[in-house]
Amino acid sequence: MKKTKKNSIWGGRMQQDVSNILQAVNSSIDIDKRLFQEDIAGSIAHCTMLAKQKIIDKKKSQKIIKGLKKIETEILNNKFKFQIKNEDIHLNIEKRLFEIIGLDAGYLHTARSRNDQVTTDFKLWVKKSSKEIQYLIKNLIKEFVRLAEKNTSTIMPGFTHLKNAQPVLFAHYLLAYVEMFKRDYQKFQNTINNLNQNPLGSGALAGTSYNIDRHFTSKALGFKEPTSNSIDSVADRDYAIEFLFASSLCAMHLSRLAEEIIIWNSDLVNLINIEDSMLTGSSMMPQKKNPDSAELIRGKTGKIYGNLNSLLITMKGLPLSYFKDMQEDKAGVFDTFDTLSINLKLACQLIKGIKPNKDNMYKAAQAGYTTATDFADYLVKKGMSFREAYKKSAQLVNIAEKQKKRLDELDFKTVEQIDKSIKNDVMKIFDLKYSINQKKSYGGTGTKSVLQMLKKVKKEFK
Ligand code: ARG
């Protein structure tokens, strides 16, 4: 019989060493070492519970916990040697524990498996990271609010199809993004709430014969309660997918914002200035100032979507319960967290340094007959049906176009010809500010409504 691989935990069973290629592909330590704090916290909770339940001796448990804390300090101080041959974070820590406290380390893995261990660690990590993302979203919202507060009377064109539609307040536009990021904040909260059950104590898949206390470890780790089915517990990665989905939506909102900023900053449109620290130059054209920051936010969104898609596909073919395929879950989640964090920080900087070109915004809002709907509404209020009024207003726009004039530049005599109900109060209809302040409906662009919404978000995100 060949010598077994003594070093390996399952050395007792195997007749051959693990091949180099399998070792390389099977090892996840370079990626999952990011879970070290969660792994140690999980082990401490587990070990404390084992002693409390008299499954292991109290002295041994104290020794184990002391060893685990020493390992945490070693890792934090870059003194820990992560080893590929020890496969993943769980085994790297366990191996080191043997080195530090000797054979008593062998008692720690009583009544647990790496299957419940890894998903407990990962849930704790996703929870912590969702909170970090929420913090960044909150900062971004505050930056939007600051810019909106400075622009509660800045008028710009609102668009549909990127064609001038109706005049709106710049503050209103900015608050539209606030709504998106508020939903993102809530999505991460939902992710946190949905993962609130502790899988630890599910063992490999069947639960365990020891008299463990899963409510105790749940409380110790900050979960609401233990999971209810041991098979589902080790097979479930929904929380990771939810995190990736919440991140994808948030990234999509950031990407739309980035696209908007790029267009508005273009020489063609020129509605905003971006501060120089968020721009880069060209290696050849000396005059250039390019919005690379916004382009990178947009560009990085692709891989955030990719990571969601990738885990959905990894999971879709897996019967219950654990398969090694699931080890592939972490790289994408970590990458999404890193990328989304960068995008949120970039967006925050960008918004902070944006200066609206108020004159250009106003001029743009005057172009494209943006008060034509207001004119139709005027006729409706004189008793006409909206469909009839729509036709009359289109007629007026055609006249203005022929005369190469804006609606507010037409003389009263021309406007009056459109319908006999028209009185000399009509000309104010074409004033942009008047148009905006007529939009008194809840959530509309009228100044009062915008101020009301500003007050509301400021209260929500202090
Ligand atoms: N590193 C593994 C993972 O991330 C831990 C679980 C290993 N379980 C097993 N049965 N091989 O999925």
Side-chain angles (χ1 to χ4, degrees), residues 10 26-29 32 35 87-91 113-119 204 237 322-330:
W10 43 85
N26 189 37
S27 170
S28 57
I29 188 62
D32 60 29
L35 297 175
E87 211 178 309
D88 56 22
I89 187 62
H90 325 293
L91 294 183
S113 151
R114 273 187 303 160
N115 295 354
D116 57 345
Q117 191 179 354
V118 69
T119 189
R237 292 294 181 275
Y322 177 85
F323 288 87
K324 204 54 170 273
D325 310 46
M326 286 151 79
Q327 181 165 277
E328 298 295 312
D329 57 2
K330 284 163 223 80

Side-chain angles (χ1 to χ4, degrees), residues 303-445:
K303 67 171 178 166
I304 293 179
Y305 289 2
N307 291 332
L308 168 64
N309 205 14
S310 165
L311 188 54
L312 281 170
I313 294 168
T314 298
M315 295 305 294
K316 87 174 177 65
L318 300 186
L320 307 182
S321 61
Y322 177 85
F323 288 87
K324 204 54 170 273
D325 310 46
M326 286 151 79
Q327 181 165 277
E328 298 295 312
D329 57 2
K330 284 163 223 80
V333 170
F334 293 158
D335 179 54
T336 283
F337 171 77
D338 293 339
T339 310
L340 184 61
S341 301
I342 289 172
N343 278 6
L344 281 163
K345 286 177 193 163
L346 268 176
C348 204
Q349 273 295 113
L350 260 169
I351 295 301
K352 199 177 199 156
I354 276 184
K355 297 254 173 334
N357 279 333
K358 294 186 186 180
D359 289 346
N360 285 357
M361 281 186 170
Y362 193 84
K363 270 185 215 136
Q366 282 181 313
Y369 315 101
T370 54
T371 52
T373 312
D374 299 84
F375 180 60
D377 291 341
Y378 171 88
L379 295 173
V380 168
K381 283 169 192 163
K382 299 282 182 203
M384 200 178 283
S385 82
F386 182 76
R387 278 290 157 247
E388 192 58 28
Y390 177 102
K391 281 187 208 146
K392 298 268 185 192
S393 181
Q395 214 180 315
L396 187 71
V397 171
N398 287 337
I399 293 169
E401 194 175 51
K402 218 179 251 163
Q403 295 188 9
K404 294 195 174 24
K405 281 182 176 171
R406 302 189 312 248
L407 293 178
D408 64 305
E409 290 171 333
L410 292 170
D411 53 49
F412 175 62
K413 288 225 153 18
T414 314
V415 181
E416 200 185 22
Q417 283 166 21
I418 297 287
D419 189 76
K420 58 180 186 319
S421 69
I422 292 172
K423 299 273 150 16
N424 56 7
D425 61 348
V426 71
M427 295 312 286
K428 67 169 189 271
I429 288 298
F430 306 119
D431 176 61
L432 300 183
K433 201 167 170 193
Y434 182 83
S435 159
I436 283 173
N437 283 329
Q438 288 305 102
K439 308 297 182 313
K440 292 183 189 120
S441 53
Y442 188 86
T445 200

Side-chain angles (χ1 to χ4, degrees), residues 156-172:
M156 61 170 289
F159 311 97
T160 62
H161 314 268
L162 208 57
K163 298 284 284 178
N164 287 12
Q166 292 184 294
V168 294
L169 291 177
F170 185 38
H172 191 51

Side-chain angles (χ1 to χ4, degrees), residues 85-96:
K85 69 170 197 289
N86 291 336
E87 211 178 309
D88 56 22
I89 187 62
H90 325 293
L91 294 183
N92 266 267
I93 289 175
E94 193 176 326
K95 280 275 172 193
R96 180 71 186 128

